[in-house]
Amino acid sequence: MDVAEFGYRYVLMPFFAVAFSFYKLKVFGKEKLPQDKGFILASNHNTFLDAPLIAWFLFPRTIHWIVGKWVYAQWYFRPICIASRCVTVNGSTKLAQTLLQQGGIVG
């Protein structure tokens, strides 16, 4: 198990399990998402919690979030990016295309 997998399973997911015990959230249409192939997940970014909340509801499937290299370069965002399996881009989407072809979710 690598560092990203550890962070995703044992840090982020338990945190949201506790947080959601206080907030009642409902997801509509999850059954309409493809289960056996990749897709692009787009968010309107109302808050910084959009990505982790969406990841929680789609768990156990991993979402590879696209972030700019400038975000990953910030020391305080880097651990979150690693735990969240972020994909850094700087004008190139080849890695994202590869993940989609392998059946991954790119957000």
Side-chain angles (χ1 to χ4, degrees):
M1 176 180 308
D2 61 0
V3 173
E5 183 71 21
F6 180 84
Y8 194 77
R9 287 183 183 252
Y10 300 109
V11 177
L12 289 179
M13 293 302 117
F15 170 76
F16 286 110
V18 172
F20 293 150
S21 65
F22 298 104
Y23 299 102
K24 301 298 179 201
L25 301 173
K26 291 189 178 191
V27 175
F28 299 97
K30 181 179 175 183
E31 68 280 355
K32 296 179 182 179
L33 297 173
Q35 297 297 314
D36 56 348
K37 58 184 178 179
F39 60 92
I40 296 172
L41 181 66
S43 173
N44 61 3
H45 284 292
N46 283 327
T47 70
F48 284 111
L49 292 177
D50 288 349
L53 287 173
I54 293 169
W56 170 260
F57 285 113
L58 291 180
F59 186 77
R61 290 194 70 185
T62 300
I63 303 169
H64 300 275
W65 299 104
I66 295 177
V67 299
K69 284 190 175 188
W70 68 270
V71 174
Y72 193 83
Q74 306 299 318
W75 67 268
Y76 43 87
F77 282 134
R78 189 173 300 125
I80 297 167
C81 288
I82 291 170
S84 301
R85 300 198 177 226
C86 291
V87 176
T88 59
V89 295
N90 194 18
S92 175
T93 59
K94 289 183 181 185
L95 181 55
Q97 290 171 348
T98 302
L99 290 168
L100 286 170
Q101 290 170 349
Q102 294 174 349
I105 303 171
V106 177

